[in-house]
Amino acid sequence: MRLPDSVTGSFLVALGAAAAYGGWILPPVPGQPVGPNVFPLVIGSGLALCGVAIVFGIGHSFEEEEELIPLEDGQAAAPPPQGRLESKLYGLRALLPPALLLFYVLAADRLGFIITAAIMVYVTSTALGAKWKLALPLAALSPFAIHLIFGKLLRVPLPAGLLPTPW
């Protein structure tokens, strides 16, 4: 059964609002401009905004309909058969998040956050069907944006690894 986008988006809005509220009511740490209350507030707000975007269909791309093969004698049309390799690869997508998490745990200290995150973003975006022309700039820019937000703004120590971090 597939849930409608409005149900999924509404759930994300509620979950994000709960996380943001939890961050809002946490007391800040005296003497620190950014305390433990900021992270759930930022993540919850972002999750709620993503849920609103899903509910209203912002950025939604309509998938192409499957090509139907017409049958003879007025029978209903059937979708083309999928190959065994395609179905096996589709099942392997479920292993991608834990595999990438394991990769991050093992490689972040050696390679550093920027390189490890770039590899993870590239692999994830190509596995989700993005062309390399989109995946490559995304993989190059998103780790730096994350580094600026978490490393500089929130002052979360991120592993440097192979790249010295003068920024």
Side-chain angles (χ1 to χ4, degrees):
M1 180 175 92
R2 193 170 165 184
L3 290 176
D5 286 345
S6 60
V7 173
T8 305
S10 299
F11 176 75
L12 289 178
V13 169
L15 184 64
Y21 177 73
W24 184 265
I25 63 172
L26 278 175
V29 176
Q32 286 187 349
V34 178
N37 60 336
V38 174
F39 183 73
L41 183 63
V42 169
I43 295 298
S45 301
L47 188 61
L49 287 174
C50 290
V52 168
I54 290 173
V55 167
F56 291 109
I58 299 170
H60 181 72
S61 64
F62 295 98
E63 297 176 12
E64 295 180 14
E65 293 183 19
E66 289 185 14
E67 180 183 327
L68 298 178
I69 300 173
L71 300 177
E72 297 175 12
D73 299 330
Q75 295 177 347
Q82 287 188 343
R84 295 180 77 182
L85 180 63
E86 286 179 8
S87 62
K88 284 184 181 182
L89 290 178
Y90 185 77
L92 288 177
R93 280 192 197 174
L95 297 177
L96 187 63
L100 286 174
L101 182 61
L102 182 63
F103 169 72
Y104 181 80
V105 167
L106 296 175
D109 286 334
R110 290 179 184 87
L111 297 177
F113 172 76
I114 300 290
I115 296 172
T116 307
I119 292 170
M120 290 174 60
V121 169
Y122 184 79
V123 168
T124 302
S125 58
T126 54
L128 292 174
K131 304 273 189 243
W132 71 270
K133 290 180 181 181
L134 174 66
L136 200 58
L138 186 66
L141 295 176
S142 61
F144 286 106
I146 293 169
H147 173 73
L148 289 176
I149 293 170
F150 287 97
K152 296 299 179 187
L153 180 66
L154 298 177
R155 299 179 190 224
V156 175
L158 298 171
L162 298 175
L163 294 176
T165 54
W167 53 81

